Short mmCIF file of all heavy atoms in Angstrom, two decimals:
data_model
loop_
_atom_site.label_atom_id
_atom_site.label_comp_id
_atom_site.label_asym_id
_atom_site.label_seq_id
_atom_site.Cartn_x
_atom_site.Cartn_y
_atom_site.Cartn_z
N ALA A 240 -2.43 -19.10 7.42
CA ALA A 240 -1.13 -19.04 6.84
C ALA A 240 -0.68 -20.36 6.26
O ALA A 240 -0.10 -20.38 5.13
CB ALA A 240 -0.09 -18.53 7.83
N ARG A 241 -1.01 -21.39 6.94
CA ARG A 241 -0.51 -22.82 6.51
C ARG A 241 -1.19 -23.17 5.20
O ARG A 241 -0.51 -23.72 4.27
CB ARG A 241 -0.85 -23.79 7.54
CG ARG A 241 -0.33 -25.13 7.28
CD ARG A 241 -0.61 -26.07 8.41
NE ARG A 241 -0.04 -25.42 9.60
CZ ARG A 241 0.47 -26.04 10.59
NH1 ARG A 241 0.39 -27.41 10.66
NH2 ARG A 241 0.89 -25.48 11.70
N VAL A 242 -2.48 -22.81 4.99
CA VAL A 242 -3.14 -23.26 3.78
C VAL A 242 -3.01 -22.23 2.63
O VAL A 242 -3.46 -22.59 1.51
CB VAL A 242 -4.65 -23.50 4.04
CG1 VAL A 242 -4.84 -24.59 5.02
CG2 VAL A 242 -5.38 -22.23 4.50
N THR A 243 -2.47 -21.06 2.81
CA THR A 243 -2.33 -20.16 1.74
C THR A 243 -0.87 -19.91 1.32
O THR A 243 -0.33 -20.76 0.59
CB THR A 243 -2.91 -18.73 2.08
OG1 THR A 243 -2.30 -18.25 3.24
CG2 THR A 243 -4.44 -18.83 2.20
N VAL A 244 -0.14 -18.99 1.89
CA VAL A 244 1.21 -18.69 1.53
C VAL A 244 2.20 -19.56 2.31
O VAL A 244 3.24 -19.92 1.84
CB VAL A 244 1.55 -17.18 1.79
CG1 VAL A 244 2.93 -16.86 1.44
CG2 VAL A 244 0.54 -16.39 1.00
N GLY A 245 1.87 -19.90 3.53
CA GLY A 245 2.84 -20.67 4.43
C GLY A 245 3.19 -19.82 5.63
O GLY A 245 3.28 -18.53 5.55
N LYS A 246 3.39 -20.56 6.71
CA LYS A 246 3.80 -19.82 7.99
C LYS A 246 5.26 -19.34 7.81
O LYS A 246 6.01 -19.84 7.09
CB LYS A 246 3.65 -20.76 9.13
CG LYS A 246 2.24 -21.10 9.41
CD LYS A 246 2.02 -22.02 10.62
CE LYS A 246 3.19 -22.57 11.42
NZ LYS A 246 2.80 -23.38 12.53
N GLY A 247 5.53 -18.33 8.66
CA GLY A 247 6.92 -17.86 8.73
C GLY A 247 7.01 -16.38 8.64
O GLY A 247 6.02 -15.66 8.91
N GLU A 248 8.22 -15.90 8.30
CA GLU A 248 8.49 -14.46 8.28
C GLU A 248 9.26 -14.14 7.02
O GLU A 248 10.14 -14.87 6.59
CB GLU A 248 9.35 -14.11 9.51
CG GLU A 248 9.69 -12.69 9.65
CD GLU A 248 10.47 -12.51 10.94
OE1 GLU A 248 9.89 -12.52 12.08
OE2 GLU A 248 11.72 -12.26 10.87
N LYS A 249 8.94 -12.96 6.45
CA LYS A 249 9.66 -12.51 5.20
C LYS A 249 10.09 -11.05 5.58
O LYS A 249 9.22 -10.23 5.92
CB LYS A 249 8.81 -12.51 4.02
CG LYS A 249 9.51 -12.04 2.79
CD LYS A 249 8.70 -12.28 1.55
CE LYS A 249 9.53 -11.96 0.27
NZ LYS A 249 8.79 -12.28 -0.89
N ARG A 250 11.40 -10.77 5.35
CA ARG A 250 11.89 -9.38 5.51
C ARG A 250 12.32 -8.87 4.18
O ARG A 250 13.00 -9.56 3.39
CB ARG A 250 13.09 -9.44 6.48
CG ARG A 250 12.72 -9.66 7.91
CD ARG A 250 13.91 -9.67 8.78
NE ARG A 250 14.75 -8.62 8.59
CZ ARG A 250 15.34 -7.79 9.46
NH1 ARG A 250 15.00 -8.02 10.69
NH2 ARG A 250 16.12 -6.82 9.17
N ILE A 251 11.88 -7.63 3.91
CA ILE A 251 12.18 -6.98 2.65
C ILE A 251 12.84 -5.65 2.99
O ILE A 251 12.21 -4.79 3.72
CB ILE A 251 10.98 -6.77 1.76
CG1 ILE A 251 10.16 -7.99 1.54
CG2 ILE A 251 11.42 -6.16 0.43
CD1 ILE A 251 8.81 -7.75 0.93
N HIS A 252 14.10 -5.40 2.56
CA HIS A 252 14.69 -4.14 2.81
C HIS A 252 14.05 -3.09 1.95
O HIS A 252 13.62 -3.28 0.81
CB HIS A 252 16.22 -4.17 2.49
CG HIS A 252 16.95 -2.95 2.98
ND1 HIS A 252 17.17 -1.87 2.16
CD2 HIS A 252 17.55 -2.71 4.13
CE1 HIS A 252 17.81 -0.94 2.91
NE2 HIS A 252 18.04 -1.49 4.09
N ILE A 253 13.93 -1.82 2.57
CA ILE A 253 13.19 -0.78 1.86
C ILE A 253 13.78 -0.46 0.48
O ILE A 253 13.06 -0.11 -0.53
CB ILE A 253 13.19 0.52 2.78
CG1 ILE A 253 12.11 1.47 2.23
CG2 ILE A 253 14.56 1.10 2.86
CD1 ILE A 253 10.72 1.02 2.45
N SER A 254 15.08 -0.65 0.27
CA SER A 254 15.74 -0.41 -1.05
C SER A 254 15.27 -1.41 -2.10
O SER A 254 15.42 -1.18 -3.28
CB SER A 254 17.20 -0.47 -0.97
OG SER A 254 17.73 -1.76 -0.56
N GLN A 255 14.69 -2.56 -1.65
CA GLN A 255 14.24 -3.56 -2.60
C GLN A 255 12.74 -3.34 -2.97
O GLN A 255 12.36 -3.95 -3.95
CB GLN A 255 14.38 -5.00 -1.98
CG GLN A 255 15.79 -5.37 -1.76
CD GLN A 255 15.93 -6.66 -1.01
OE1 GLN A 255 15.19 -6.92 -0.05
NE2 GLN A 255 16.85 -7.56 -1.42
N ILE A 256 12.03 -2.55 -2.28
CA ILE A 256 10.65 -2.32 -2.60
C ILE A 256 10.53 -1.24 -3.66
O ILE A 256 10.96 -0.11 -3.54
CB ILE A 256 9.84 -1.86 -1.33
CG1 ILE A 256 9.97 -3.05 -0.29
CG2 ILE A 256 8.43 -1.59 -1.64
CD1 ILE A 256 9.36 -2.68 1.09
N SER A 257 9.94 -1.60 -4.80
CA SER A 257 9.75 -0.68 -5.91
C SER A 257 8.44 0.02 -5.87
O SER A 257 8.27 1.12 -6.41
CB SER A 257 9.90 -1.41 -7.20
OG SER A 257 9.00 -2.46 -7.34
N SER A 258 7.41 -0.59 -5.24
CA SER A 258 6.10 0.05 -5.19
C SER A 258 5.32 -0.55 -4.05
O SER A 258 5.51 -1.68 -3.66
CB SER A 258 5.38 0.06 -6.51
OG SER A 258 5.01 -1.31 -6.82
N VAL A 259 4.19 0.11 -3.74
CA VAL A 259 3.21 -0.38 -2.77
C VAL A 259 1.86 -0.34 -3.43
O VAL A 259 1.37 0.73 -3.85
CB VAL A 259 3.21 0.49 -1.45
CG1 VAL A 259 2.16 -0.05 -0.50
CG2 VAL A 259 4.55 0.50 -0.84
N GLN A 260 1.27 -1.45 -3.60
CA GLN A 260 -0.11 -1.53 -4.09
C GLN A 260 -1.12 -1.45 -2.97
O GLN A 260 -0.94 -2.15 -1.98
CB GLN A 260 -0.39 -2.73 -4.97
CG GLN A 260 -1.75 -2.71 -5.63
CD GLN A 260 -1.93 -3.87 -6.58
OE1 GLN A 260 -1.03 -4.63 -6.92
NE2 GLN A 260 -3.15 -4.06 -6.97
N TRP A 261 -2.14 -0.70 -3.14
CA TRP A 261 -3.09 -0.48 -2.03
C TRP A 261 -4.56 -0.59 -2.59
O TRP A 261 -4.84 -0.03 -3.58
CB TRP A 261 -2.86 0.93 -1.49
CG TRP A 261 -3.84 1.40 -0.47
CD1 TRP A 261 -4.95 2.28 -0.73
CD2 TRP A 261 -3.85 1.10 0.89
NE1 TRP A 261 -5.64 2.43 0.40
CE2 TRP A 261 -5.00 1.79 1.47
CE3 TRP A 261 -3.09 0.34 1.73
CZ2 TRP A 261 -5.30 1.73 2.76
CZ3 TRP A 261 -3.39 0.24 3.07
CH2 TRP A 261 -4.51 0.90 3.56
N LYS A 262 -5.34 -1.36 -1.82
CA LYS A 262 -6.75 -1.43 -2.15
C LYS A 262 -7.43 -1.25 -0.82
O LYS A 262 -7.36 -2.24 0.01
CB LYS A 262 -7.17 -2.81 -2.80
CG LYS A 262 -8.65 -2.85 -3.13
CD LYS A 262 -9.02 -4.23 -3.68
CE LYS A 262 -10.46 -4.32 -3.94
NZ LYS A 262 -11.16 -4.75 -2.75
N PRO A 263 -8.12 -0.24 -0.62
CA PRO A 263 -8.89 0.02 0.64
C PRO A 263 -9.99 -0.97 0.77
O PRO A 263 -10.63 -1.41 -0.15
CB PRO A 263 -9.39 1.47 0.59
CG PRO A 263 -9.41 1.75 -0.80
CD PRO A 263 -8.34 0.93 -1.53
N ALA A 264 -10.34 -1.30 1.99
CA ALA A 264 -11.46 -2.20 2.36
C ALA A 264 -12.78 -1.42 2.01
O ALA A 264 -12.86 -0.25 2.25
CB ALA A 264 -11.40 -2.69 3.75
N GLY A 265 -13.75 -2.15 1.56
CA GLY A 265 -15.09 -1.60 1.33
C GLY A 265 -16.10 -2.19 2.36
O GLY A 265 -15.73 -2.95 3.19
N PRO A 266 -17.39 -1.85 2.22
CA PRO A 266 -18.39 -2.30 3.21
C PRO A 266 -18.51 -3.84 3.11
O PRO A 266 -18.87 -4.47 4.15
CB PRO A 266 -19.63 -1.64 2.82
CG PRO A 266 -19.29 -0.72 1.64
CD PRO A 266 -17.91 -0.88 1.28
N PHE A 267 -18.21 -4.45 1.93
CA PHE A 267 -18.46 -5.89 1.85
C PHE A 267 -17.18 -6.71 1.47
O PHE A 267 -17.25 -7.84 1.32
CB PHE A 267 -19.51 -6.18 0.76
CG PHE A 267 -20.89 -5.46 1.15
CD1 PHE A 267 -21.27 -4.37 0.36
CD2 PHE A 267 -21.58 -5.84 2.20
CE1 PHE A 267 -22.44 -3.70 0.70
CE2 PHE A 267 -22.76 -5.26 2.57
CZ PHE A 267 -23.20 -4.14 1.81
N VAL A 268 -16.07 -5.95 1.24
CA VAL A 268 -14.81 -6.70 0.90
C VAL A 268 -13.66 -6.12 1.62
O VAL A 268 -13.65 -4.96 2.12
CB VAL A 268 -14.50 -6.44 -0.68
CG1 VAL A 268 -15.54 -7.07 -1.55
CG2 VAL A 268 -14.36 -4.95 -0.98
#
Side-chain angles (χ1 to χ4, degrees):
R241 187 176 305 210
V242 297
T243 56
V244 179
K246 293 183 356 179
E248 181 177 288
K249 181 172 186 177
R250 286 177 49 131
I251 308 168
H252 191 268
I253 195 68
S254 65
Q255 296 173 318
I256 298 173
S257 57
S258 65
V259 178
Q260 183 175 349
W261 172 262
K262 179 182 177 274
F267 303 108
V268 295

